Amino acid sequence: MPWRLGGSAFYAAAAAARLGARTALATRVGPIEQAALVAACRELGIDLVILPAAVTTTFAFGMAPDGRRELRLRARAKAIALRDVPPALRDARAVVFASVAHELDASLFGGFPGAVRVVEVQGYLREWDAHGAVRPRRWTAPAELLLAADAIVLSEEDLGGDERGASEWARTAPVVVTRAERGSRTHRADAVLEADALPVDSVVDVTGAGDAFSAGLALALAEKRPFGDAVRFAHAVASFAVEGVGISALADRAAVDRRLSVNSRA
């Protein structure tokens, strides 16, 4: 598979920008990938804040014999703390915290007062050996994250099919477990809510769909939509993400709204 820009933060920022939101991306990127990221963000209209880094967090992808995606960590940038984020970005109305390899410091989560905060915890549910081979790990969510989050997003693959952790975290914050074409399951303190995925024209590349979902959810919650409506909007945003490679098929707000309307329940 050829090299391409990726990462949860970039995919989420791209989805938000395509929806017409004023978007900023603060990330660590090494010198090799920097020019490509600058060009992509300029084309999308994303305000890019490059934090110092010797390397970019990089994964290699492969497929296991049973069809599961295999990951190998090639390089990891150092963690990002609140002190690394410019003060001008801290008045955002919606923030997606996107961890891919334990690289978000706990100080970040309380540093955006007034913002809707959606936290992707995929990176906390991974560990790797000395050769970079990635495997699942059980994670105890820190109180700083749970108390700050308006929603936590992860996939059933991240949980290895065991949603007991999601139920535990949901005592403090809503936890949305995405389930690919089967929609999502939201764990809340008092209930578990199911939501359907929206039909798609074709499935080309599922990479980044969860990140597009998180961006849509954050923006919808910032617009004061009820949580169930926000989840459905997020599914509509993610439905376009799988129809092309990388960010190529991400849709604008009008297209997302049309798909929602066509698939609305009677």
Side-chain angles (χ1 to χ4, degrees):
M1 181 181 293
W3 175 90
R4 71 169 185 252
L5 284 174
S8 293
F10 173 66
Y11 283 129
R18 285 279 171 84
L19 289 169
R22 182 180 177 186
T23 305
L25 170 62
T27 188
R28 295 199 189 278
V29 57
I32 295 174
E33 299 83 9
Q34 195 168 120
L37 182 61
V38 168
C41 288
R42 182 184 300 116
E43 180 179 350
L44 289 161
I46 296 171
D47 295 328
L48 176 62
V49 177
I50 295 177
L51 304 175
V55 296
T56 303
T57 299
T58 306
F59 289 94
F61 291 83
M63 297 301 294
D66 62 2
R68 290 182 299 107
R69 185 174 64 171
E70 290 185 324
L71 286 178
R72 188 172 296 275
L73 182 66
R74 296 295 193 190
R76 179 179 178 271
K78 69 177 184 178
I80 299 173
L82 182 61
R83 64 178 177 273
D84 301 314
V85 179
L89 299 187
R90 299 181 198 175
D91 62 353
R93 67 189 183 103
V95 180
V96 175
F97 298 104
S99 168
V100 294
H102 311 190
E103 69 277 54
L104 301 183
D105 186 83
S107 63
L108 278 172
F109 304 118
F112 295 80
V116 167
R117 289 162 287 191
V118 171
V119 186
E120 293 191 21
V121 297
Q122 179 186 62
Y124 296 111
L125 296 165
R126 295 168 171 166
E127 62 185 7
W128 44 87
D129 62 22
H131 302 288
V134 176
R135 56 179 179 253
R137 72 188 281 258
R138 183 162 177 80
W139 175 62
T140 302
E144 298 94 334
L145 187 157
L146 292 176
L147 291 171
D150 293 285
I152 292 170
V153 177
L154 70 166
S155 73
E156 62 180 352
E157 181 182 5
D158 297 327
L159 289 168
D162 182 356
E163 295 189 20
R164 286 176 294 180
S167 297
E168 293 171 10
W169 308 330
R171 297 170 189 168
T172 307
V175 179
V176 184
V177 180
T178 59
R179 306 168 70 210
E181 73 279 359
R182 292 179 292 116
S184 64
R185 181 181 288 125
T186 299
H187 295 257
R188 307 195 72 161
D190 57 350
V192 177
L193 309 174
E194 305 273 353
D196 295 329
L198 272 66
V200 302
D201 294 334
S202 62
V203 177
V204 176
D205 180 12
V206 299
T207 304
D211 311 311
F213 179 96
S214 295
L217 181 63
L219 290 174
L221 291 175
E223 293 167 1
K224 308 298 183 185
R225 300 192 187 200
F227 201 92
D229 290 348
V231 168
R232 187 160 172 77
F233 179 81
H235 274 300
V237 176
S239 71
F240 287 95
V242 304
E243 293 181 343
V245 175
I247 65 171
S248 63
L250 290 171
D252 61 18
R253 177 69 69 117
V256 170
D257 287 342
R258 283 195 300 271
R259 183 165 285 184
L260 272 174
S261 178
V262 167
N263 293 281
S264 62
R265 295 191 178 104

